[in-house]
Amino acid sequence: MSRTRLPLAAFSLASLSALVLSGCSQSTDASKDAGDTAASASAATGKKPAPFSAGAVKVALVRQSGAGDYFEQWGNGAKAQAKALGIDLTVYDAQADNAKQATDLSSAINSGAKAIIIDHGFPATIQPEIDKAVKKGIKVVVYDVETATKGVVSTKQDDASMAQAVLDVMAKEVGKDAKVGYVNVAGYAALDKRNTVWTKELAAQGWKQEFKVGKVTDSTATDNVPLVSAALTQHGDVAGVFAPYDELAKGTVLAVQNKKLQDKVKVFGADVSNADIQQMTAADSPWVATAGTDPSAVGAAVVRTTALELAGQLNKTSVEFPAVAITQDFLREKKIENMDQLREALPALNLSQVSTADWISNVAH
């Protein structure tokens, strides 16, 4: 989502925008579960500024959810970059429990962290804690969170362009005046922005929206299968379905296949990950297009943005990560099976020049 931040990304496309979910867990090991989705760090050549010159800097990452392939890779990139910078990173994961995220944020404020990164979340539940953190002098960097609090640094995927890129492909594939379906959830910043583009394109193309379903849970893909299946039972004549978050798209793909409609119904998603690539390139897959960012590179870039803010070198209040359109035909033609191969084939996914400095060991791909 990104989730999810989606280059849809991928938000998370991802995303979500972004957007989604796992349990109340904490980790103070910045390298734990870093996985193979983050590249090795390029060496820093400059002298570290304060506070990094004095040793490890304590930072908290407060997540609305870390579940789903996109958000796992996002977290891996963030952890790898934190380790390269000498950041002591504590990760809180609310597993889609909004009240728990507010409690996690309160705990982060009281933990002695010099900075707090907030990955997704509902403003209504976390805004009071954001205000408290800023008043306490803690640097706050949000990813795909809407807040008007002065002093907060906003980072996000370009969700509008992400949705537009996918819908441009959808327009070519299904044509004007087609019957279509929609799988989305309101209330997440990334998904709401993608919804705005959908509404505009729906009217521009003369599409007839036959159904809208969707929910975000700790098992979003699985839990959306019955919802989409029921919708397809009544509206199996739709030409395409837009699901602007990869966990929603996965559930939609499974529902289309369960109803044996893969030759008739095309799926258009958002975000990209190893699992997404595998599902898009599988035989008889109805998932024909997505758009996204490299989730691992985005997670790393958000941490670098936080480091620059701590050092007083960011000099801006927002950082945006551009998305790239990706089609099933492209993946199959290039024989792309994973994110590493996609990065090589699509250099536009590389965020190595975003939020960096000569004193930062950069793990961006």
Side-chain angles (χ1 to χ4, degrees), residues 22-38:
S22 190
C24 168
S25 63
Q26 298 182 21
S27 171
T28 56
D29 181 358
S31 64
K32 183 178 180 182
D33 298 327
D36 59 3
T37 61

Side-chain angles (χ1 to χ4, degrees), residues 25-26 51 66 119 184 196 233 275 307 315 338 343 361:
S25 63
Q26 298 182 21
D119 174 23
N184 201 4
T196 298
T233 297
N315 301 320
N338 53 51
R343 291 175 191 114
S361 296

Side-chain angles (χ1 to χ4, degrees), residues 28-332:
T28 56
D29 181 358
S31 64
K32 183 178 180 182
D33 298 327
D36 59 3
T37 61
S40 58
S42 60
T45 59
K47 183 179 179 180
K48 289 183 178 181
F52 297 93
S53 56
V57 178
K58 189 174 180 62
V59 174
L61 170 57
V62 180
R63 312 192 72 183
Q64 202 270 349
S65 170
D69 194 47
Y70 176 92
F71 288 102
E72 289 175 7
Q73 291 186 66
W74 194 104
N76 290 341
K79 292 173 185 177
Q81 183 65 76
K83 181 179 180 181
L85 278 164
I87 287 175
D88 177 10
L89 186 70
T90 300
V91 180
Y92 301 79
D93 188 344
Q95 294 189 331
D97 183 331
N98 297 317
K100 175 66 172 59
Q101 189 182 19
T103 300
D104 286 346
L105 185 48
S106 179
S107 297
I109 292 170
N110 296 320
S111 70
K114 299 296 184 182
I116 298 174
I117 300 169
I118 304 173
D119 174 23
H120 287 91
F122 282 86
T125 54
I126 61 176
Q127 185 60 58
E129 299 302 323
I130 291 176
D131 291 338
K132 289 179 184 177
V134 171
K135 288 180 181 178
K136 196 171 180 179
I138 299 171
K139 299 295 185 182
V140 177
V141 176
V142 299
Y143 177 70
D144 268 345
V145 176
E146 294 294 335
T147 176
T149 302
K150 188 176 180 180
V152 173
V153 176
S154 173
T155 66
K156 57 187 176 181
Q157 298 178 117
D158 187 346
D159 290 292
S161 67
M162 178 184 295
Q164 190 63 60
V166 177
L167 292 174
D168 285 347
V169 178
M170 183 171 175
K172 294 177 181 178
E173 292 284 342
V174 306
K176 288 186 174 293
D177 304 320
K179 293 182 179 180
V180 297
Y182 189 35
V183 184
N184 201 4
V185 181
Y188 293 91
L191 294 184
D192 288 343
K193 291 171 185 174
R194 298 171 196 181
N195 178 70
T196 298
V197 179
W198 167 255
T199 301
K200 174 180 69 68
E201 200 66 22
L202 193 67
Q205 298 297 332
W207 290 335
K208 301 174 181 63
Q209 182 176 302
E210 297 296 306
F211 64 82
K212 178 184 177 183
V213 297
K215 63 180 178 180
V216 170
T217 69
D218 59 354
S219 301
T220 299
T222 301
D223 291 344
N224 276 277
V225 175
L227 298 180
V228 182
S229 292
L232 290 172
T233 297
Q234 294 185 322
H235 305 286
D237 58 344
V238 294
V241 179
F242 183 44
Y245 162 44
D246 62 346
E247 294 300 309
L248 295 174
K250 290 175 186 175
T252 302
V253 167
L254 290 174
V256 170
Q257 291 173 327
N258 288 346
K259 302 300 292 185
K260 301 186 185 305
L261 293 171
Q262 56 265 40
D263 293 333
K264 299 179 180 179
V265 180
K266 297 178 179 180
V267 177
F268 303 84
D271 303 316
V272 64
S273 67
N274 288 331
D276 298 341
I277 292 170
Q278 292 167 11
Q279 194 156 13
M280 287 181 71
T281 57
D284 299 322
S285 172
W287 190 350
V288 300
T290 190
T293 54
D294 176 352
S296 178
V298 169
V302 172
V303 172
R304 293 197 304 276
T305 300
T306 305
L308 289 172
E309 176 69 0
L310 278 166
Q313 296 180 5
L314 185 62
N315 301 320
K316 61 176 72 174
T317 59
S318 65
V319 178
E320 194 167 70
F321 312 116
V324 180
I326 303 155
T327 66
Q328 183 186 69
D329 287 343
F330 175 83
L331 295 174
R332 288 176 172 172

